[in-house]
Amino acid sequence: MDKMKRLTFALLVVAAAFAAVPVAAHHSFAASYMEERTVTVEGDLVQLMFRNPHSFVHVIVREKDGSQVRYAVEWSGANQLGVQGVTRETLKVGDRVVITGTPGRNPNDHRIRMISLRRPKDNFGWHKPDRE
């Protein structure tokens, strides 16, 4: 093989090796959420997106001015929640929930990263593990 073919072959081998390694990188929550603050909202669950890498619950909250706002609450992934005993059947549309979390950086987005969830009717609760 000439020098150019050997170099091309070597680069392809390296690229294939990197492609075979699973990527465990994760984005920074600090870029999206104000981790130094917490907020608590209470409302009715209108949607559960039980999936990986992050699940979401959507909650309709009645604000102090009487308006209703839909909050998107980012939760742990389905795999991690499953290990903690949470399934896609744990919460139902219409459930009243109290959620505490870190607010999104843009208040107009009405986003929260969940720290804890409580369902008052049966006192079901979930809290973010210390290490996530």
Side-chain angles (χ1 to χ4, degrees):
M1 272 196 259
D2 69 4
K3 188 174 183 179
M4 185 56 104
K5 285 183 180 178
R6 283 192 300 244
L7 179 61
T8 301
F9 179 75
L11 288 173
L12 287 173
V13 169
V14 170
F18 276 110
V21 176
V23 177
H26 201 271
H27 61 277
S28 168
F29 285 115
S32 300
Y33 298 97
M34 293 186 279
E35 295 191 322
E36 68 283 355
R37 293 187 51 212
T38 59
V39 295
T40 300
V41 296
E42 181 172 352
D44 298 322
L45 182 77
V46 293
Q47 184 178 17
L48 169 63
M49 300 166 68
F50 195 75
R51 64 186 190 191
N52 289 309
H54 302 277
S55 296
F56 282 84
V57 294
H58 290 250
V59 179
I60 296 292
V61 174
R62 183 173 301 279
E63 299 286 355
K64 291 177 184 172
D65 66 2
S67 64
Q68 291 187 343
V69 176
R70 184 178 180 131
Y71 280 80
V73 183
E74 188 168 359
W75 204 359
S76 298
N79 290 345
Q80 184 177 11
L81 291 171
V83 169
Q84 297 167 350
V86 177
T87 71
R88 67 179 67 252
E89 305 300 320
T90 300
L91 297 173
K92 302 284 188 213
V93 169
D95 280 350
R96 188 87 174 158
V97 293
V98 179
I99 294 172
T100 299
T102 56
R105 293 204 171 273
N106 181 350
N108 294 327
D109 289 344
H110 303 289
R111 288 180 56 108
I112 298 172
R113 179 173 178 234
M114 191 183 305
I115 295 172
S116 68
L117 176 143
R118 187 174 58 82
R119 183 174 50 209
K121 75 177 181 183
D122 62 358
N123 216 25
F124 167 80
W126 178 89
H127 195 278
K128 181 178 80 114
D130 291 334
R131 292 176 22 182
E132 186 178 46

